Amino acid sequence: MNNLKYWIWFTQAIGYCTAKAKQITFLYNSIEDFYNGGENEWRFCGLFSNNEIVKLCETPLSVADEIIAKCNRYFYDIICIDSPGYPECLLDIDDPPAVLYIWGALPDIDDRMSIAVVGTRKASMYGIKASYNIAYQLAKSGVTIVSGGALGVDCSSHLGCLAADGVTICVLGCGINYDYLRENAKMRSDITYKGAVISEYPPDTEAKSYHFPQRNRIISALSDGILVVEAGSRSGSLITVSRALEQDASKKIFALAGPVDSHFDGSNKLVKTKVATLVTDYKDIIDAFDNVYVTTELEVSAQPPDDVIDVIPIKGKAPTDINGLRTYDLTEVPVHKTDLDLSEDESKVYYAITHEPKHIDKISEEVNLPVLKILPIITTLEMRELIKCVQGRSYRLI
């Protein structure tokens, strides 16, 4: 736990996506030794600019206490670069995350075959169904699916894996607590029952545009191969491929077969330049690996039923199950009722609770009322069947 505290301090001072964290592990017995060395030692080691040394000096160790307390409150795990259980595949890259925040259970990724499925957020129905089906079939074969939790291809691959009762890892470009893509909140929660939602950013870190290219190096490092679906010529998926090949030139890259149009410019170029292997179904991926044991024979079709409107979340819609496949239909999410006879404090609490599970500590922060004062209000709202407890001390509208 001590090392964890110092690594969090280090990221708050220096930032993320840096090779310097790994270099410290070679130069010092522990990050605590590095911290205790102070300014003179930091200058002497030759890793840091003057500006970075100023940040190391000015960043208090107490920032780590606040982040650890927040993670404890929400039952998030934290591992650091020198923790037992830190993935070896991340240690193999030049710039591994110094800290990983984990919601759920991070699978033993080093001993499981894993495939990243990446692609456009504005996927066609063809791309949506293909990424869903292939992820479903790979998951049925015992493969871990890695993706980024975004709309389009990312989301449909996660959902395909969940429909197969498989293991998937969602790597975020923001903090786990940040309200990113609210329509995907249920999916992220579902992932944590057998897999994990992870981030190198502390829980409340908002999404920044430069976080996503940084995040892509983690997706590629966690994966034995990468399937690219409907990547345009400027797709972020191509950054993931580029980082993968920088990390390991022999990393296997696959691209979905498709029509010649702008949706596929990037994917087609990968195939044309022989960077990627053309894929028409999941077996093309399995067959590309030597000595891979397929754990399960597929017993059901992975084709989504005809009455599925879309497998990507539709903003403001709620998830459902059709023929056992997780998808999204036109059922409206719960909304706040009007004309309720509520006191001022009851109204504050009620309107702070949404259709997504929200922990009582977060409600307390938002309404600026102590938890002890909120508890009887919560009980009243539950008795009136306005809200319900869904997990631990989290609540949502009904």
Side-chain angles (χ1 to χ4, degrees):
M1 180 59 76
N2 283 340
N3 276 5
L4 183 60
K5 183 175 181 177
Y6 292 107
W7 280 120
I8 294 174
W9 162 79
F10 176 81
T11 62
Q12 296 309 288
I14 299 300
Y16 314 94
C17 195
T18 172
K20 294 175 183 180
K22 186 174 180 177
Q23 292 167 333
I24 285 174
T25 65
F26 294 135
L27 293 175
Y28 296 89
N29 289 328
S30 72
I31 183 65
E32 185 176 0
D33 287 348
F34 170 80
Y35 175 84
N36 290 331
E39 182 176 352
N40 289 337
E41 176 62 32
W42 303 337
R43 292 187 184 280
F44 177 76
C45 76
L47 291 179
F48 303 98
S49 67
N50 287 333
N51 186 47
E52 288 173 329
I53 290 170
V54 169
K55 290 179 180 178
L56 287 168
C57 292
E58 292 180 348
T59 304
L61 192 59
S62 59
V63 297
D65 294 326
E66 297 169 10
I67 292 170
I68 291 170
K70 172 78 72 171
C71 290
N72 288 339
R73 200 177 308 150
Y74 289 98
F75 303 102
Y76 301 147
D77 290 327
I78 318 172
I79 60 174
C80 51
I81 193 171
D82 53 6
S83 296
Y86 187 92
E88 289 286 339
C89 56
L90 289 178
L91 289 176
D92 289 340
I93 67 175
D94 292 334
D95 47 5
V99 181
L100 280 178
Y101 301 91
I102 302 166
W103 181 24
L106 188 64
D108 184 4
I109 196 72
D110 294 313
D111 293 327
R112 294 178 61 107
M113 182 178 169
S114 55
I115 295 294
V117 185
V118 297
T120 181
R121 288 171 170 80
K122 298 178 180 179
S124 68
M125 182 55 68
Y126 169 75
I128 289 294
K129 288 186 176 182
S131 51
Y132 183 101
N133 293 344
I134 292 174
Y136 178 96
Q137 293 164 323
L138 288 172
K140 279 289 186 182
S141 301
V143 176
T144 297
I145 301 299
V146 183
S147 198
L151 297 178
V153 168
D154 286 12
C155 176
S156 57
S157 63
H158 286 306
L159 291 171
C161 183
L162 291 173
D165 196 29
V167 176
T168 183
I169 301 173
C170 174
V171 187
L172 295 177
C174 59
I176 297 171
N177 250 18
Y178 183 68
D179 192 15
Y180 170 69
L181 292 179
R182 179 172 297 183
E183 53 269 43
N184 272 351
K186 174 61 177 170
M187 181 192 75
R188 292 193 293 271
S189 178
D190 288 346
I191 286 171
T192 65
Y193 289 102
K194 289 191 68 176
V197 177
I198 69 173
S199 176
E200 67 177 320
Y201 307 106
D204 293 328
T205 306
E206 63 180 289
K208 302 282 190 181
S209 59
Y210 59 85
H211 286 174
F212 295 93
Q214 291 179 353
R215 177 274 310 269
N216 290 349
R217 83 191 192 284
I218 301 176
I219 292 177
S220 59
L222 290 173
S223 308
D224 296 304
I226 298 171
L227 171 62
V228 181
V229 178
E230 289 193 335
S233 57
R234 297 185 179 182
S235 171
S237 305
L238 303 184
I239 297 175
T240 308
V241 170
S242 176
R243 290 309 307 267
L245 296 176
E246 289 171 8
Q247 293 163 358
D248 180 356
S250 64
K251 182 90 71 171
K252 295 185 185 299
I253 310 298
F254 307 93
L256 178 70
V260 180
D261 62 21
S262 59
H263 256 64
F264 284 87
D265 283 354
S267 302
N268 290 342
K269 185 176 180 180
L270 291 174
V271 175
K272 188 174 181 179
T273 57
K274 299 184 179 179
V275 171
T277 300
L278 192 65
V279 166
T280 57
D281 67 26
Y282 83 105
K283 291 180 182 178
D284 294 329
I285 297 173
I286 295 291
D287 291 344
F289 292 88
D290 296 326
N291 302 319
V292 170
Y293 174 66
V294 178
T295 59
T296 308
E297 290 294 327
L298 292 172
E299 297 175 351
V300 296
S301 169
Q303 290 295 329
D306 293 336
D307 55 348
V308 175
I309 296 173
D310 212 341
V311 284
I312 56 173
I314 301 168
K315 196 154 187 162
K317 309 305 177 185
T320 186
D321 287 301
I322 300 179
N323 296 345
L325 301 180
R326 174 68 71 182
T327 183
Y328 286 71
D329 68 5
L330 297 182
T331 306
E332 293 294 334
V333 299
V335 295
H336 294 101
K337 296 178 173 61
T338 57
D339 301 324
L340 296 174
D341 183 17
L342 300 175
S343 69
E344 181 178 351
D345 286 345
E346 287 172 342
S347 183
K348 283 182 182 179
V349 172
Y350 176 59
Y351 284 101
I353 297 171
T354 66
H355 66 281
E356 302 168 14
K358 185 177 292 186
H359 195 274
I360 194 170
D361 290 334
K362 192 160 190 176
I363 299 169
S364 173
E365 290 176 9
E366 291 182 4
V367 301
N368 198 26
L369 291 172
V371 170
L372 288 177
K373 189 167 184 178
I374 289 176
L375 282 171
I377 296 175
I378 290 286
T379 302
T380 299
L381 295 176
E382 283 185 294
M383 291 176 64
R384 294 181 64 175
E385 297 184 345
L386 297 174
I387 64 171
K388 69 180 293 185
C389 182
V390 289
Q391 54 184 15
R393 299 212 298 174
S394 295
Y395 300 85
R396 69 167 177 82
L397 292 178
I398 56 176

